[in-house]
C-alpha cells in the first residue's frame, strides 16, 4: 500500500525510476524516438513529411517482414543468411513467370510463396534433422540462390510488371470513407487512414488496460500507473499522428497493411500461443525442451519454413517496388534483417527476443538510412555509422543485462 | 622408506558444506597409495586441494611435499613440482596426434619453433615406457579409451612426474585394459614413481595398493597397510560405510499396491558405438505407492537406463518392453512417454531440466502446455494460478512465480522441476539424483515430497549415488553395475555392505 501511495504523490519520479530499471525493455524505443527527433531537426522537418513517412514504410516493409521470421529463427537459436538471396531469387522467378511465361499475378504470387516454403524446408531439413549448423547451411543457400537468380534472369533485368503486381508494394487502399474529408472541408485527406489510426490506437489502449486490470487481479506487479498512462498517450499519439500524416498524402499503403497484420499475427504467435512458447523454450535450453516432450527438430524445421515463406513475400514486394527484377536484388538484405533483430534485443544464443523489438530495430535502421540519405551522406559513411549503431545497441543490451543480473 | 607427501589437517569448506574436515594423508616415496570412499566422501576435493585447483589460502591445513611446505596457487604450480593428476574425464585433444598431446603446453621448441624430430623421438621413448605400440602421429581420436589412458600417463611421464594421481582410471575401461593399466602402475612403481590411486573397485585396490586411506564424510577414517595384511574387502567396506542414519529421513506409513510399472529385457546400445551394449537386459518393476531405488556407481548405466526409457533420449537399437498396469505402453518419444504417465527428473537440472533464463511460471508449464491452453492459445492467467499453486504446495521460497529460475537455490530449482513434472500428472516418476547439490534442509523437504507422491499411489523410481539416502528412502533397491541389474534387496535386508558387495563382486 505504501508504494502505491508513493507512486501517486511522486508520479514523475516513479516514471523515471521505473524507466531506469526497465531500460532494457524500452531503451531501443527511446533510441528510435531520439534518432527520429534528431533527423527531423537536422533535415528541417523533411523526415516526417507525409511523402517521406510513406516512403519509410515502403522502403522498410520487406526488411520488417523478414525480421518477423528472422526473430523466430534467432530465438530458436539459429540464423538464416540466405534471405537476401531468396529475395533476389523469388523476385527473379516472379519476373520470369509474369513477363516471359505470361502467368497471371494471382497464379504467380501463391506459386512464389510455395517456392519460398520449399526453400525454407530444404534448408531447415539439414539444420533440424541433420544438426548441420544453420550458419553453414544458409551460407550455402545464400550462394546457391544468388547464383540461381543470376541464372534465371540470364544476367539481365526483367520487367516491367502488371499493375496488379505493382500494387503489392506501391498501391494504396482507396479512401472508403470520403465523407470524412467533406466534414473537415479538406481537399487532401484520406478519411479511412485517420479512422483506422484512431481505431488502432483505441484498441491498443483498451488491450493494455484489460491486461493491466487482469494482472492486478492476479497480483502481478506491473508498471506504475503514471508510466502506463504516459506510455499509452505516446504510443496512441504516435499512431494517430502517423495516420494523419499518411492521410494527407495518398492514404494507407497496401504494404503497411500487410506488414501491420503480419506484425500483429507474429506478436500474438510468439507471446500467446503454445507454438511460440515452445520456440522460446527450444532456444533457451534445447535439451530441457526436448526432455519436456517438445519436438525440437520439427519446431526448428518450422521456423525455417516460415522464414522461407516470409523471404519469398519480401522478394515479391521488393520486385513490385522496383517494378523490375535484377540479379542484384536483395544483396546484403540478410545483414539488415539480422541487425534489426539484434538491435531489437534478441540474443545470439537464442531464447530471448520480441517481435516488437525486431520491428523497432528495423525502423531504427530504416530511419537512419532514410535520414542520412536526405542529408546527402555518402554510402561509405552510412555503412560505418550503421555498423557502429548495431555494435552500440548490442553493447547497451549486454550492459543492461549484466547490471540487472 | 621416506615420506614424499604429507597433508595435515586439511579442511575445506564450501558455502554451507564442510567438504573436508581435518583430513590427513601421508604418502611414502615409491608406494602405490589408494584413496577410497563413497561418492561425495571428499576424495576428489582432497585431490583438488593437492593439485592446486583450490589454491593455497582457500583451505586450511598444511601440505608438505618432499619435506617442505607447498603453497600451490594453481595446477601449473603443482605440476612444476612433479605432482600430476589424471582426471576421470581425459584431458586430451582428440584431433591432435599422440606426440602433440604429450607435449601440449610443454612443447619441445626453441624460440617458439617446434623441433618435430626431437618431439617424435621423445614420444617413442615415452610410449615404450607405457607399453603403447602406436605411431606418434596417430590421432588420439583413433585410440580406444584404454589406450587414451596410457597416453595420459605418458603425458605425465613427459613432465618428469614425482607423484602421479589417478582418479578412477579404470572406470571406463574393459577388464583386460584395466589389468594392463594396473600392471603398468606396478611397473612404474618399480621405476620409483609414487602414485595415488583413487578407485571404487576394491579388488583392484587390493591387488596393487601398498597402503589405503579410507575417507568418509570428509574425514580420514583409517589407513590400512598391506604389509600388516589389513587390506581386505570386508575391512574396507566397513570403514567406508557405517554412519548414524537416524532421523535424516521423514517417517512414512507404507501402503504398497499392485505392480504399476514393469520393464522387461531392456537393452540399449551406445549412441555412437553401435557395438557397445550399455544396458543389458534390465528387468525391474515398481509397485503403486512404492519407492524403488537403483544403486550403483557413477557410469554404471543408471542414467542411461532412465533416459532410454524416457522417449529413447539416450542410445540406439533399444529393445525391451515397458508396461503400465500390465498393459504395454509407448515410450518411443518423450511426448508419448509423458502421455503414458512417465516423468523423468534429470540428474543435471541446470543443463537438462530447466530453462534458466525463464520464469518459474514458464518452467512449470513447459511439459504440459496443453494444460494451460485452448486451441493452441495460452491462458496465462490460468498458467499463473497453476504455478502459484505449486509454489505454495512445494514451498518454493521466492517472492513470486515471475522470478527467473536462474536466481533460485538448488533446492528451490529442484522443486520447480518436480512441479513441472507433477503438472503432467505422471503415474511413475523417475528421479535421477534428486538431491544432488542440495543442502540438508532442502533434502529433507524433497524426501517429504517423494513420500507424498508415493502416498498418492504413484510409483517412484529413485536413482542415487548416495547409499544412505537409498537405504533411508526406498522400499526396495536394485543394484546396477556395468549396465546390468546385478542384485535386488528389500528395505529390511538392505545395507551399504550388501550393496557394495554386489557391486564389487559382480
Amino acid at each position: 500500500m505504501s508504494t502505491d501511495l508513493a507512486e501517486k504523490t511522486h508520479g514523475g519520479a516513479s516514471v523515471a525510476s521505473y524507466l531506469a530499471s526497465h531500460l532494457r525493455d524500452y531503451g531501443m524505443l527511446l533510441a528510435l524516438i531520439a534518432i527520429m527527433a534528431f533527423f527531423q531537426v537536422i533535415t528541417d522537418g523533411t523526415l516526417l513529411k507525409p511523402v517521406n513517412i510513406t516512403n519509410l514504410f515502403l522502403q522498410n516493409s520487406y526488411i520488417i517482414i523478414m525480421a518477423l521470421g528472422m526473430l523466430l529463427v534467432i530465438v530458436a537459436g539459429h540464423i538464416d543468411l540466405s534471405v537476401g538471396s531468396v529475395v533476389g531469387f523469388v523476385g527473379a522467378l516472379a519476373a520470369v513467370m509474369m513477363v516471359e511465361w505470361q502467368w497471371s499475378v494471382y497464379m504467380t504470387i501463391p506459386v512464389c510463396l510455395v517456392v519460398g516454403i520449399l526453400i525454407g524446408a530444404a534448408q531447415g531439413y539439414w539444420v533440424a534433422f541433420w544438426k548441420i549448423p544453420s550458419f553453414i547451411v544458409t551460407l550455402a543457400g545464400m550462394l546457391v540462390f544468388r547464383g540461381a537468380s543470376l541464372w534465371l534472369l540470364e544476367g539481365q533485368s526483367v520487367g516491367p510488371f502488371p499493375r496488379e503486381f505493382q500494387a503489392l508494394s506501391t498501391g494504396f487502399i482507396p479512401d472508403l470513407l470520403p465523407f470524412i474529408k467533406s466534414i473537415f472541408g479538406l481537399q487532401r485527406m484520406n478519411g479511412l487512414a485517420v479512422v483506422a489510426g484512431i481505431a488502432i490506437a483505441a484498441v491498443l489502449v483498451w488491450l493494455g488496460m484489460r491486461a493491466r486490470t487482469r494482472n492486478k487481479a492476479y497480483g502481478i506487479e506491473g508498471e506504475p500507473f503514471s508510466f502506463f498512462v504516459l506510455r499509452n498517450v505516446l504510443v496512441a499519439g504516435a499512431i494517430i499522428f502517423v495516420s494523419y500524416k499518411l492521410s494527407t498524402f495518398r492514404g494507407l499503403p497496401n504494404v503497411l497493411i500487410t506488414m501491420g497484420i503480419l506484425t500483429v499475427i507474429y506478436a500474438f504467435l510468439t507471446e500467446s500461443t503454445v507454438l511460440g512458447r515452445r520456440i522460446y523454450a527450444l532456444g533457451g535450453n534445447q535439451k530441457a525442451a526436448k526432455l519436456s516432450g517438445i519436438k525440437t527438430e520439427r519446431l526448428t524445421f518450422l521456423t525455417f519454413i516460415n522464414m522461407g515463406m516470409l523471404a519469398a513475400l519480401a522478394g515479391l514486394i521488393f520486385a513490385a517496388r522496383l517494378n523490375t527484377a535484377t540479379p542484384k536484388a536483395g544483396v546484403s538484405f540478410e545483414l539488415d534483417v539480422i541487425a534489426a533483430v539484434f538491435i531489437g534485443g534478441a540474443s545470439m544464443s537464442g531464447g530471448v527476443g520480441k517481435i516488437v523489438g525486431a520491428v523497432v530495430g528495423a525502423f531504427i535502421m530504416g530511419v537512419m538510412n532514410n535520414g542520412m540519405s536526405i542529408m546527402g551522406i555518402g554510402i561509405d559513411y552510412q555503412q560505418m555509422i550503421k555498423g557502429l549503431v548495431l555494435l552500440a545497441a548490442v553493447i547497451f543490451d549486454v550492459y543492461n543485462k549484466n547490471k540487472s543480473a | 622408506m621416506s615420506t614424499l607427501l604429507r597433508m595435515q589437517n586439511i579442511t575445506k569448506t564450501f558455502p554451507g558444506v564442510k567438504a573436508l574436515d581435518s583430513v590427513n594423508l601421508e604418502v611414502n616415496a615409491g608406494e602405490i597409495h589408494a584413496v577410497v570412499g563413497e561418492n561425495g566422501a571428499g576424495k576428489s576435493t582432497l585431490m583438488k586441494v593437492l593439485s592446486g585447483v583450490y589454491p593455497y589460502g582457500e583451505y586450511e591445513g598444511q601440505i608438505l611435499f618432499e619435506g617442505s611446505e607447498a603453497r600451490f596457487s594453481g595446477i601449473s604450480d603443482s605440476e612444476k613440482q612433479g605432482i600430476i593428476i589424471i582426471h576421470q574425464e581425459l584431458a586430451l585433444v582428440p584431433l591432435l596426434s599422440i606426440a602433440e598431446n604429450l607435449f601440449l603446453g610443454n612443447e619441445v621448441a626453441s624460440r617458439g619453433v617446434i623441433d618435430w624430430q626431437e618431439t617424435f623421438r621423445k614420444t617413442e621413448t615415452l610410449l615404450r615406457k607405457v607399453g603403447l605400440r602406436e605411431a606418434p602421429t596417430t590421432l588420439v581420436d583413433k585410440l580406444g579409451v584404454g589406450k587414451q589412458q596410457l597416453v595420459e600417463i605418458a603425458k605425465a611421464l613427459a613432465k618428469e612426474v614425482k607423484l602421479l594421481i589417478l582418479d578412477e582410471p579404470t572406470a571406463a575401461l574393459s577388464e583386460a585394459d584395466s589389468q594392463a593399466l594396473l600392471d603398468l602402475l606396478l611397473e612404474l612403481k618399480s621405476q620409483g614413481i609414487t602414485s595415488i590411486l583413487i578407485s571404487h573397485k576394491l579388488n583392484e585396490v587390493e591387488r596393487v595398493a601398498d597402503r589405503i586411506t579410507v575417507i568418509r564424510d570428509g574425514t580420514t577414517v583409517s589407513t590400512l597397510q598391506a604389509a600388516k595384511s589389513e587390506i581386505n574387502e570386508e575391512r574396507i567396506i566397513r570403514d567406508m560405510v557405517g554412519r548414524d542414519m537416524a532421523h535424516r529421513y521423514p517417517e512414512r506409513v507404507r501402503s504398497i499396491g499392485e505392480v504399476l510399472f514393469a520393464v522387461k529385457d531392456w537393452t540399449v546400445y551406445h549412441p555412437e558405438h553401435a557395438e557397445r551394449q550399455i544396458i543389458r537386459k534390465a528387468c525391474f518393476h515398481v509397485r503403486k505407492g512404492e519407492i524403488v531405488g537403483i544403486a550403483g556407481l557413477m557410469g554404471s548405466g543408471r542414467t542411461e537406463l532412465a533416459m532410454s526409457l524416457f522417449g529413447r533420449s539416450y542410445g540406439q537399437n533399444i529393445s525391451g518392453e515397458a508396461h503400465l498396469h500390465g498393459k504395454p505402453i509407448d515410450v518411443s518419444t518423450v511426448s508419448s512417454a509423458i502421455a503414458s504417465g512417465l516423468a523423468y527428473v534429470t540428474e543435471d537440472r541446470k543443463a537438462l531440466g530447466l530453462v534458466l533464463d525463464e520464469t518459474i511460471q514458464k518452467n512449470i508449464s513447459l511439459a504440459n502446455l496443453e494444460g494451460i491452453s485452448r486451441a493452441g492459445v495460452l491462458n496465462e492467467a490460468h498458467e499463473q494460478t497453476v504455478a502459484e499453486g505449486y509454489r505454495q504446495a512445494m514451498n518454493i521460497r521466492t517472492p513470486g512465480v515471475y522470478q527467473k529460475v536462474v536466481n533460485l537455490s538448488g533446492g528451490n530449482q529442484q522443486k520447480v522441476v518436480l512441479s513441472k513434472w507433477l503438472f503432467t500428472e505422471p503415474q511413475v516418476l523417475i528421479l535421477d539424483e534428486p538431491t544432488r547439490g542440495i543442502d540438508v534442509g532442502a533434502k529433507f523437504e524433497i524426501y517429504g515430497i517423494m513420500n507424498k507422491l508415493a502416498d498418492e499411489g504413484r510409483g517412484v523410481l529413485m536413482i542415487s549415488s548416495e547409499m544412505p539416502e537409498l537405504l533411508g528412502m526406498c522400499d526396495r533397491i536394485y543394484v546396477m553395475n556395468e549396465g546390468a541389474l546385478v542384485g535386488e534387496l528389500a528395505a529390511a535386508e538392505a545395507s551399504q555392505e550388501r550393496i557394495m558387495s554386489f557391486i564389487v563382486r559382480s
Side-chain angles (χ1 to χ4, degrees), chain A residues 24 214 218 220 268 271-275 277-278 280-281 284-285 287-295 351 401, chain B residues 310 313 334-335 346 350-352 354 362 365-367 370 373 376-378 380-381 383-385 402 420-421:
Chain A
R24 228 181 139 206
R214 205 173 55 187
Y218 282 101
I220 299 166
F268 178 74
E271 283 166 30
S272 300
T273 67
V274 170
L275 187 66
R277 180 67 67 80
R278 286 185 172 158
Y280 281 92
N285 186 343
K287 287 174 181 163
K290 201 171 166 127
L291 282 171
S292 298
I294 294 172
K295 298 191 168 68
K401 190 179 171 188
Chain B
F310 194 63
S313 302
V334 174
S335 39
T346 54
K350 284 187 181 170
L352 303 176
L354 294 164
K362 288 184 180 180
S365 64
L366 188 60
E370 290 77 13
S373 62
V377 178
L378 300 171
E380 287 185 61
E383 181 180 27
Q384 205 225 339
T385 316
Y402 281 85
K420 172 174 96 168
W421 288 112

Side-chain angles (χ1 to χ4, degrees), chain A residues 193-215:
Chain A
V194 177
V195 171
I198 294 171
I200 290 169
V203 167
L204 276 181
V205 171
W206 177 69
L207 283 176
M209 279 167 61
R210 202 181 66 156
R212 194 177 162 80
T213 338
R214 205 173 55 187
N215 285 352

Side-chain angles (χ1 to χ4, degrees), chain A residues 20-186:
Chain A
S21 59
H22 289 73
L23 210 52
R24 228 181 139 206
D25 298 332
Y26 298 105
M28 283 304 125
L29 192 60
L30 293 178
L32 176 61
I33 294 170
I35 289 169
M36 287 181 73
F38 171 77
F39 282 113
Q40 174 71 357
V41 172
I42 210 107
T43 60
D44 290 329
T46 313
L47 187 83
L48 293 181
K49 279 196 173 138
V51 57
N52 197 52
I53 290 182
T54 306
N55 260 336
L56 263 174
F57 287 126
L58 297 189
Q59 280 169 3
N60 293 300
S61 53
Y62 35 90
I63 299 293
I64 290 171
I65 286 171
M66 285 193 283
L68 302 175
M70 190 66 80
L71 179 95
L72 294 188
V73 170
I74 287 175
V75 164
H78 294 283
I79 196 99
D80 190 340
L81 300 174
S82 72
V83 294
S85 295
V86 174
V87 162
F89 176 72
V90 170
L93 186 67
V96 169
M97 284 172 173
M98 287 184 296
V99 176
E100 288 181 12
W101 303 346
Q102 302 291 323
W103 284 23
S104 93
V105 173
Y106 303 103
M107 175 106 158
T108 305
I109 292 177
V111 169
C112 283
L113 291 179
V114 170
V115 168
I117 287 172
L118 293 176
I119 289 173
Q123 301 190 102
Y125 171 75
W126 299 111
V127 176
F129 300 107
W130 285 68
K131 309 273 183 288
I132 297 177
S134 55
F135 189 94
I136 292 168
V137 172
T138 60
L139 182 63
M142 179 180 175
L143 296 169
V144 167
F145 295 110
R146 179 59 55 202
S149 44
L150 262 170
W151 169 74
L152 259 184
L153 296 171
E154 295 167 339
Q156 308 289 309
S157 292
V158 175
F161 302 130
R163 269 212 87 72
E164 306 106 285
F165 185 72
Q166 288 178 48
L168 204 55
S169 176
T170 49
F172 291 83
I173 309 262
D175 188 359
L176 301 171
L177 308 166
F179 58 89
I180 290 179
K181 180 162 60 182
S182 42
I183 294 174
F184 288 93
L186 292 168

Side-chain angles (χ1 to χ4, degrees), chain B residues 268-271 308 312-318:
Chain B
V268 180
Y269 289 84
H270 192 276
S308 61
R312 301 196 176 157
S313 302
Y314 173 88
Q316 58 174 333
N317 282 334
I318 297 168

